[in-house]
Every structure is written in C-alpha cells, then in structure tokens.
Amino acid sequence: MDPAYYHGSISVKLWPPSQNTRSMLVERMIKNLTTPSKSILSRKYGLLDKKEAEEISKKIEALAYASANLHFGKKPDGDGSSAVQLYAKESSKLMLEAVKRGPLMGKEDGIVITEKSTTRDNVFDISEGRRALINEEEAKELLKPLGKHGNKYTKICFSNHSFGLDAAHVAESFLFSLKDQLKEVDLSDFIAGRPEDEALKVMKIFSSVLDGCELRYLNLSNNALGEKGVRAFESLLKSQHNLEELYLMNDDISEAAARAVRELLPSTEKLKVLQFHNNMTGDEGAIAISELVKHSPVLENFRCSSTMVDSDGGFALAEALGTCTNLKKLDLSDNMFGIKSGVALSKALLGCPNLREVYLSYLNLADEGCIALANALKESAPSLEVLEMSGNEITAKAALALSSLITSSHSLTKLNLSENELKDEGAIQIAKALEQGCVELNEVDLSTNLIRGAGARVLAQAVIAKPGFKLLNINANYISDEGVDEIKDMFKSSPAVLSLLESKLKGLEIKHAD
C-alpha cells in the first residue's frame, strides 16, 4: 500500500469524493476544453464553447463517478483507492474522446455540416472531420457517391455521424442497391444524441436493409446498445454466417445483451477478431461470451477488457480460450479475475503457441497467478512481443518467473509491469533478464513499483545500450533527487534515447529519499 494513504494506524478514506472535489474536476475539464494550449490535440480538433464544455464536462464526471461507485460497491477495498483510480482513468478517457470529437454545436440549430465523404477505391467513409448530427438533406448530399452507377464499394463507414429517422431512410435507399457487394460495415457511434425510441428505430432500419449481406467485418461499437440495441440488429446478426471480425465495444453489453449476441449470431466458425471492451458484462455475461469463444476455432484477436468480469466469468473465459489455438492477441485487462481465474488462464494459454501480444493488467492476479502465467507463456509463446501485467500486486516473489520468461522472449518489444510492488529486489532481477536478451526491446514501464535508486540504476543500465530503445518509465518510485540526476547523466551519451526519456525523468515523482 502506498504510504501516502496511511500514517501510523490512521487510515484515510478516499471514496467517495466530496462534492467540492467533484465540482473542481468539472471546472478543470471545462477549462481544458475551452482554453487554447500548445498540445497537438488542441490544435488538431479545436476548442468547445463554454456552454457546450460545461454540459459535456458534467456528463463526463457523472459517468466516471457512476462507474467508479459501482466498482467500489462490488469490490470495496477499504480506503477506496481503486475507485479513485478508476474515476480518474474514466474521466481522462472520456475527456480525450470529447477533445477528439471537437465541437458539436457549430450552428444555430446545433447541427454541424460535415466535411465531404472520403472515397478511395472500394471504401466509402464519412467518419473524418467533426462529429455531426445529420438531417435528411445533409444525408442525401453526404451519401450521394453511393448512388453512382457502377461503384465498387465493398466497405462503408458511417461512424462519427448521428442518423435520425429521416437520414436513416435516406441511407436505406442507398444501401439497398449495395447489399450484394458489401463486405465490411462500420456503424460505430452513429446514433449519438438521439432519443432511445428513435435510435432503436434507426438501428432496425439499418439492420433490415443490410439483412443478407455476406459481411466479413461488422463494427457496432459506441452505440450504448444494451439488450434492446442488440435485438434491434436481430435480422442483420442472424444473417451473418461468415463474419471474421465483430466489434461491440463501449456498447453497454450487459448480461442480457451478451446472451442476446450469443443467441442471434448463427455462426462464429470463421471469426478471427472479437472485441467487447468497456462494457458492464459481469460474470454471467462473460459466461455467455465464453460460449461464443468456444465456437470460434480460428479466433486470433480477443478483447474483453474493462467488462467488470469477476472470478467465475474469468474462469469460463479462460477455459473457452483453451480451444483458440490460433490466438495471437489477448486483452483481458481491467477485470476482477483473481488468482483462480489467472491459473486457469495459464493452463489455457499452454495451447496457444502463436501469441504475440498479451494484456493482463489490473486482474488481481497476485504473485501466484502471475507466476503461473509467466511459466505458461515461457513454454508456449516463443514469439511474444508485448506483455502487460500492470496493477496486479506482483512482488519480488514473482520476479524469478518473470525474468525467466523475459530471458526466453527474444522478440519482446514492450514490457509493462507498472503499479506493482517489485521493489529493488524484483527490479534488479527483471533488469538482469532484460540485459541478457530482448534485442528488439524498445519500451519498459516499471513506474510505481516502490523502486529506490539502486533498482532504478540497474534498470537504466540494462536498456541504455539497446539499439532502437525508445522509452523507460520509472516514474512514481522512491528515488531521491540525486538518484534522478544520476540516471539522467547515464543517458547523456545516448541522445536518441535521452530525447524520449527526458520528459519522463523530469516528471519523476519523488516519494521518498534513498
């Protein structure tokens, strides 16, 4: 536990935050959304006016608070530190999305006329430019290229534009003539800001007109579908026998919604990519998803991160993944699996020799789960390139297994073990493993690991001479000012590395003197 939270035997309760704290966060977001800055995002996407910024900031804070409060209710951790972390993470994520969307209110009627659509070869894409609510006339102009005789569009992307009923009927007339040639459909974030009744009707219109398309790619993310939304796409989903990629991220996929997906999809035999990131799926929902996974023999990329899955759901997913021998990328981060599910997952991964990227952060794995997974990956994943196991309460006890995995992973390019408790003992073991191999390594993150100067120095020495190395993050450790200066001096002879490390080291948080 971070000593900042405790003094002697007196504990400090961090959750829930006071109303004043919540109000201060809203004010800070308003300022960021309305104040010019030198950041690339600000220059690229523009600023919001004060009224819109206030509205969006209040919504962001409320959503982040609700998510963190639900997490705290399910998994109270005494002081509430994990809820605070989730509150900050969700606020930052939603804030970034708001910045990227840019202003929605550019006209008196609140509608922004979007830039022209992008067409390239067989792709028709209207997702570029500012997010927009479009009406019937705008839809006719925007979608006009779809009506061109002899077009060869096989992929359409309607993301980033909100279709009302009139606009949906316009799209319906264009899409009807394309349904025999379409292979990829992206309808992510295409009903934002619409009342539920209207949104469901819009989804049913698109589902009906696309019914029968032999799609290989379908993206319905960022539509807050829930069970009603999933069932609104019933006719489209039921007609898909050859899907290779399915995306249902940030879609309010609850237990009932997950069961609906399992019920409606007739086949997942050809599915290679399945992504459910950022939903409220829970254990029962994860069990439903595991049934999809079991019947996806060629699955290569599976993401079920930030879905509030606990031990039972994690165990079901782990067992299902044992059938996915072609798996290359796995992301289960930010769930509540625990040791039991971690060990079950380690057994499943023994049958996945093609793994390249593994994201297992914030799963409550502890040392036992981490050791089991490290041993399994060492045995089964010779081509591992990315390993992330942040925030799992890993101590130096697991360092030997991790070091052995790292030494055997000759293709490793990125290692993230941040927010654990490795201390100097564990950091030094990891550093020695990094020094021995990992010729392709370019990024290491051991921030927030209770590391002191000795461990930091050995880590720096392990990566300093590696060709192409890009980032060493050892922020928020127990390093003195003198230790920070010493590490900075070590990189003076490596200007390419120093140019990327400088900002990280300048912001290095001093929590305790050596």
Side-chain angles (χ1 to χ4, degrees), residues 166-183:
D166 291 341
H169 283 301
V170 172
E172 180 182 26
S173 64
F174 282 111
L175 293 177
F176 184 78
S177 62
L178 296 176
K179 63 188 305 178
D180 291 335
Q181 65 192 60
L182 286 178
K183 298 298 180 186

Side-chain angles (χ1 to χ4, degrees), residues 16-182:
S18 67
Q19 187 57 51
N20 184 53
T21 298
R22 296 180 65 184
S23 298
M24 286 175 63
L25 176 61
V26 171
E27 290 300 319
R28 191 157 59 245
M29 287 191 288
I30 292 172
K31 183 178 180 180
N32 288 338
L33 290 170
T34 58
T35 305
S37 73
K38 296 180 180 180
S39 72
I40 294 174
L41 287 175
S42 175
R43 295 198 303 269
K44 182 175 181 181
Y45 296 104
L47 300 170
L48 277 60
D49 64 39
K50 183 102 180 264
K51 182 179 179 181
E52 186 178 359
E54 288 177 353
E55 182 179 345
I56 289 175
S57 297
K58 288 176 181 177
K59 288 181 179 178
I60 288 173
E61 191 281 330
L63 287 169
Y65 178 85
S67 180
N69 205 41
L70 183 61
H71 168 78
F72 183 70
K74 292 186 69 174
K75 284 286 182 179
D77 57 357
D79 65 350
S81 57
S82 64
V84 171
Q85 291 174 358
L86 181 61
Y87 181 53
K89 185 169 74 172
E90 286 295 299
S91 298
S92 298
K93 180 189 73 176
L94 294 170
M95 177 76 174
L96 181 60
E97 290 176 2
V99 171
K100 287 185 175 181
R101 282 197 301 265
L104 293 178
M105 309 295 288
K107 303 290 180 181
E108 289 182 2
D109 59 0
I111 297 174
V112 176
I113 306 297
T114 184
E115 289 83 350
K116 292 182 179 180
S117 58
T118 298
T119 58
R120 53 186 184 277
D121 299 329
N122 62 336
V123 179
F124 179 81
D125 185 354
I126 63 172
S127 65
E128 296 180 4
R130 293 177 177 176
R131 199 180 195 199
L133 304 171
I134 58 174
N135 58 28
E136 180 179 2
E137 292 305 314
E138 291 162 350
K140 287 179 180 178
E141 180 64 26
L142 189 63
L143 305 182
K144 187 184 296 183
L146 293 177
K148 186 177 179 181
H149 179 70
N151 75 71
K152 298 181 180 179
Y153 297 127
T154 59
K155 177 178 180 177
I156 57 168
C157 178
F158 286 0
S159 181
N160 206 36
H161 290 73
S162 180
F163 285 75
L165 271 175
D166 291 341
H169 283 301
V170 172
E172 180 182 26
S173 64
F174 282 111
L175 293 177
F176 184 78
S177 62
L178 296 176
K179 63 188 305 178
D180 291 335
Q181 65 192 60
L182 286 178

Side-chain angles (χ1 to χ4, degrees), residues 101-318:
R101 282 197 301 265
L104 293 178
M105 309 295 288
K107 303 290 180 181
E108 289 182 2
D109 59 0
I111 297 174
V112 176
I113 306 297
T114 184
E115 289 83 350
K116 292 182 179 180
S117 58
T118 298
T119 58
R120 53 186 184 277
D121 299 329
N122 62 336
V123 179
F124 179 81
D125 185 354
I126 63 172
S127 65
E128 296 180 4
R130 293 177 177 176
R131 199 180 195 199
L133 304 171
I134 58 174
N135 58 28
E136 180 179 2
E137 292 305 314
E138 291 162 350
K140 287 179 180 178
E141 180 64 26
L142 189 63
L143 305 182
K144 187 184 296 183
L146 293 177
K148 186 177 179 181
H149 179 70
N151 75 71
K152 298 181 180 179
Y153 297 127
T154 59
K155 177 178 180 177
I156 57 168
C157 178
F158 286 0
S159 181
N160 206 36
H161 290 73
S162 180
F163 285 75
L165 271 175
D166 291 341
H169 283 301
V170 172
E172 180 182 26
S173 64
F174 282 111
L175 293 177
F176 184 78
S177 62
L178 296 176
K179 63 188 305 178
D180 291 335
Q181 65 192 60
L182 286 178
K183 298 298 180 186
E184 301 183 39
V185 170
D186 186 341
L187 297 179
S188 59
D189 193 20
F190 85 122
I191 51 166
R194 303 293 180 180
E196 181 180 294
D197 288 347
E198 182 180 20
L200 290 171
K201 290 176 182 177
V202 168
M203 288 187 276
K204 288 178 180 178
I205 289 171
F206 276 86
S207 176
S208 178
V209 72
L210 294 172
D211 179 359
C213 289
E214 293 186 10
L215 300 180
R216 58 162 296 277
Y217 172 103
L218 178 61
N219 191 342
L220 301 177
S221 300
N222 301 310
N223 287 311
L225 294 176
E227 183 186 10
K228 290 181 182 178
V230 171
R231 295 196 180 279
F233 279 108
E234 177 175 355
S235 57
L236 173 58
L237 291 172
K238 278 189 170 181
S239 67
Q240 299 309 306
H241 294 271
N242 298 303
L243 268 184
E244 295 179 15
E245 300 185 38
L246 176 61
Y247 299 84
L248 294 166
M249 298 184 289
N250 194 27
D251 263 334
D252 195 18
I253 300 297
S254 60
E255 171 189 336
R259 287 175 173 170
V261 175
R262 181 193 63 189
E263 170 195 330
L264 296 176
L265 276 177
S267 174
T268 56
E269 288 187 357
K270 296 184 179 181
L271 205 61
K272 295 181 180 180
V273 179
L274 180 60
Q275 300 206 358
F276 283 96
H277 170 68
N278 198 33
N279 287 296
M280 300 180 70
T281 309
D283 272 354
E284 294 301 319
I287 292 170
I289 291 171
S290 72
E291 291 299 316
L292 290 177
V293 174
K294 280 181 185 177
H295 296 93
S296 305
V298 297
L299 193 66
E300 296 179 359
N301 182 335
F302 179 60
R303 187 179 188 188
C304 195
S305 52
S306 301
T307 46
M308 307 194 79
V309 177
D310 215 317
S311 180
D312 290 344
F315 192 86
L317 286 174

Side-chain angles (χ1 to χ4, degrees), residues 412-458:
L412 193 68
T413 62
K414 180 179 179 181
L415 176 66
N416 188 342
L417 298 172
S418 62
E419 297 187 47
N420 285 300
E421 300 172 15
L422 288 168
K423 299 185 178 179
D424 276 5
E425 180 184 352
I428 290 170
Q429 288 191 64
I430 298 296
K432 288 179 178 179
L434 293 173
E435 197 169 24
Q436 291 175 19
C438 304
V439 294
E440 303 294 327
L441 191 71
N442 59 50
E443 184 172 337
V444 172
D445 190 342
L446 266 77
S447 57
T448 318
N449 260 287
L450 308 177
I451 299 170
R452 295 175 180 268
R457 283 190 292 273
V458 176

